[in-house]
Amino acid sequence: NLLFNILLWIIVPFPLWIPFISNRIAYFIIPSIQAVFVGMWIIISMLALKNALILYLNRYHDFSRMNATTKNVNIHHIVAISCYKEPIELIAQSIQTVANQTEVHKITMIVSFEERTPNKEEKCQLLKKQFGQCGFTRMLFTIHPYGLPNEIPGKCSNSNYGLRIGVQQMAIPDQETDNILVTTCDADSKFPPQYIAALTHQYLKQNRPALTTIYQSPLFYNWKLDGLSFFTRVIGLLRSMLMLGALIPFNINTMSIFSYSLSLAKKGNYIHPAYQMDDIICLIRWMGVTQRRLVISMIPVPVLSGPTSGETIEKEIIEWARQARRWTIGAAEVFHYFVIKAKRIPIIAAFSWGISFMIYYGILLCSAGLYGVTSMVSMLLLVRDVPPIITLIMYCLFGAQMATFLVAFIIDMFIPKLLDVKECIFVLRNLFHFLTTPLVLLVYSLVELYALHEILIFGRKVCKHGASAKTAL
């Protein structure tokens, strides 16, 4: 993971020292590098628009009826939700959206609590009473013991334990695992009624690629997002755009809520319990056992996920920064895991995924924003006799960058309606949020800069899973 820091310290200070080497080279190469970064954002925004259009065009599709016309549809589903200290009302809201599925009769619901969850037995009884007769094939509850060897507390270890125990209790024959799809989710996940049907349809349409494909529904963070600060809302909108335009199209990684075959889970020895980011860890681990780069296939329905939140603006911003730090440390930890496991993955698959991951997390999310600041400072204060055409190009690049951010706000105009989310965003407030996008990304990059150096100094000690605050949701 030192590679992330090396990239950072090569890219970010570059505009500040290159003018002292050659002024002429400086005013050509600084805008050129900035153009590469802006070009990345343009590609991502165009792909995001394309995938958002796919979601919109599928808004009226009855996937259950389409599946009914397919012969030998015997796909069963496991939906596993990991819980800790989240309010029982929040967990119940998420489970209710699973109970509302058009194919609820094909679902086994697994609810996994941590041993240190307060009143866990009472919560299990309340949920069993509320959802025991809602139509699930079965509903199982697991309690993940605290302090098991070679584990850290968090979603990875909880999901790993819950899924293993659930599958053991279901006594599924090995020849049936290709017909079982597992969906991992958080306690703040709201599924549209067609999610399971759409997942089944996608799996069957692709001829059941049990060991080659992971399924990802685009996540949108519009759960009370209109009532949160501009910091949280801007990052929420950009995260959705980046998932639509980068993570899914370039097969970089799944995030939070994703689906896969039980065959893949069992072949890959389930989920590594000693890490914090189950989504990316699973992808790397399973690439090693399948000996190929896995495909991330988009489920053509959106899912609502909870953003970072807090009871007050101050707590919300603190939670926002804490989560940004955790995501960055998690990405560095995952990259370290990848480097260790890369020798078990074919060279081309390992190299292509590693480069994609490094460009996305190490360059686009962290270095590019800070480079934008140092390049602006350099062009204004250090580079002399800048030709007017170069100045014009820099302004055009900034305009193009803002246009890519605008795409995130355009997508936000119609996707929440597909999720039955009613928001109240006054046009001037929306404009303010749009104009502050570069500032929010800059602060986010600074948090990432701090987190990367924190892991550089302290190593594995800071790789801990701090559960998000969910009370405000």
Side-chain angles (χ1 to χ4, degrees), residues 407-427:
V407 169
F409 287 82
I410 292 172
I411 292 173
D412 185 62
M413 291 173 63
F414 61 91
I415 292 295
K417 296 175 183 176
L418 307 185
L419 295 161
D420 287 331
V421 173
K422 295 178 175 59
E423 294 185 328
C424 183
I425 300 287
F426 184 53
V427 62

Side-chain angles (χ1 to χ4, degrees), residues 386-400:
V386 179
I389 187 64
I390 299 295
T391 303
L392 178 62
I393 289 172
M394 290 296 287
Y395 280 119
C396 290
L397 288 174
F398 178 74

Side-chain angles (χ1 to χ4, degrees), residues 77-280:
H77 294 265
I78 297 172
V79 178
I81 182 170
S82 300
C83 310
Y84 182 31
K85 293 182 178 180
E86 297 86 0
I88 187 67
E89 297 83 4
L90 181 71
I91 299 171
Q93 284 185 57
S94 298
I95 296 176
Q96 184 64 60
T97 65
V98 183
N100 293 339
Q101 294 298 302
T102 56
E103 299 187 356
V104 63
H105 58 286
K106 297 183 177 181
I107 299 173
T108 292
M109 187 76 218
I110 300 177
V111 183
S112 303
F113 281 101
E114 291 287 349
E115 186 178 52
R116 297 198 298 175
T117 299
N119 306 315
K120 56 185 177 295
E121 292 84 5
E122 180 184 346
K123 290 181 177 180
C124 288
Q125 289 302 319
L126 287 171
L127 293 173
K128 187 175 182 179
K129 181 179 179 180
Q130 183 173 351
F131 299 104
Q133 304 299 322
C134 71
F136 292 135
T137 302
R138 60 178 68 81
M139 190 172 189
L140 307 174
F141 294 89
T142 65
I143 307 297
H144 175 226
Y146 176 73
L148 292 178
N150 301 316
E151 288 195 1
I152 65 170
K155 187 185 175 186
C156 271
S157 53
N158 191 326
S159 298
N160 177 67
Y161 184 83
L163 190 55
R164 285 176 184 271
I165 296 299
V167 170
Q168 181 182 336
Q169 292 182 17
M170 293 168 67
I172 302 169
D174 288 341
Q175 62 268 23
E176 286 297 316
T177 54
D178 279 5
N179 296 325
I180 309 291
L181 293 178
V182 181
T183 297
T184 300
C185 61
D186 297 328
D188 57 341
S189 308
K190 286 189 177 182
F191 295 93
Q194 288 277 324
Y195 178 89
I196 291 297
L199 170 59
T200 301
H201 176 74
Q202 194 80 348
Y203 186 63
L204 293 173
K205 186 176 74 171
Q206 296 173 350
N207 198 24
R208 307 184 191 219
L211 297 180
T212 62
T213 305
I214 301 179
Y215 294 90
Q216 175 75 63
S217 178
L219 304 184
F220 292 86
Y221 303 90
N222 295 78
W223 191 325
K224 293 189 176 182
L225 193 59
D226 57 340
L228 300 178
S229 69
F230 71 95
F231 268 83
T232 303
R233 183 163 181 262
V234 166
I235 287 297
L237 300 188
L238 290 179
R239 285 182 70 192
S240 297
M241 186 180 80
L242 288 166
M243 173 169 280
L244 285 166
L247 296 181
I248 295 175
F250 293 103
N251 301 312
I252 298 174
N253 63 261
T254 52
M255 187 172 288
S256 301
I257 304 163
F258 58 104
S259 303
Y260 46 90
S261 74
L262 183 57
S263 297
L264 185 59
K266 293 186 75 171
K267 189 176 179 68
N269 200 20
Y270 294 95
I271 302 164
H272 202 309
Y275 288 85
Q276 58 168 322
M277 299 182 75
D278 64 321
D279 35 31
I280 317 180

Side-chain angles (χ1 to χ4, degrees), residues 273-344:
Y275 288 85
Q276 58 168 322
M277 299 182 75
D278 64 321
D279 35 31
I280 317 180
I281 288 293
C282 283
L283 183 75
I284 297 169
R285 194 176 195 181
W286 298 344
M287 280 197 298
V289 298
T290 59
Q291 290 294 288
R292 59 174 295 152
R293 186 172 177 183
L294 295 175
V295 174
I296 299 175
S297 179
M298 187 179 83
I299 305 170
V301 293
V303 167
L304 187 64
S305 187
T308 53
S309 59
E311 292 82 357
T312 65
I313 292 294
E314 291 82 0
K315 288 182 179 179
E316 182 190 325
I317 292 176
I318 291 171
E319 180 72 12
W320 177 89
R322 191 172 71 88
Q323 287 297 91
R325 170 188 170 274
R326 182 174 72 84
W327 290 327
T328 305
I329 289 175
E333 179 190 28
V334 161
F335 190 71
H336 175 268
Y337 179 78
F338 165 72
V339 171
I340 298 301
K341 298 295 182 182
K343 59 187 177 184
R344 301 183 184 179

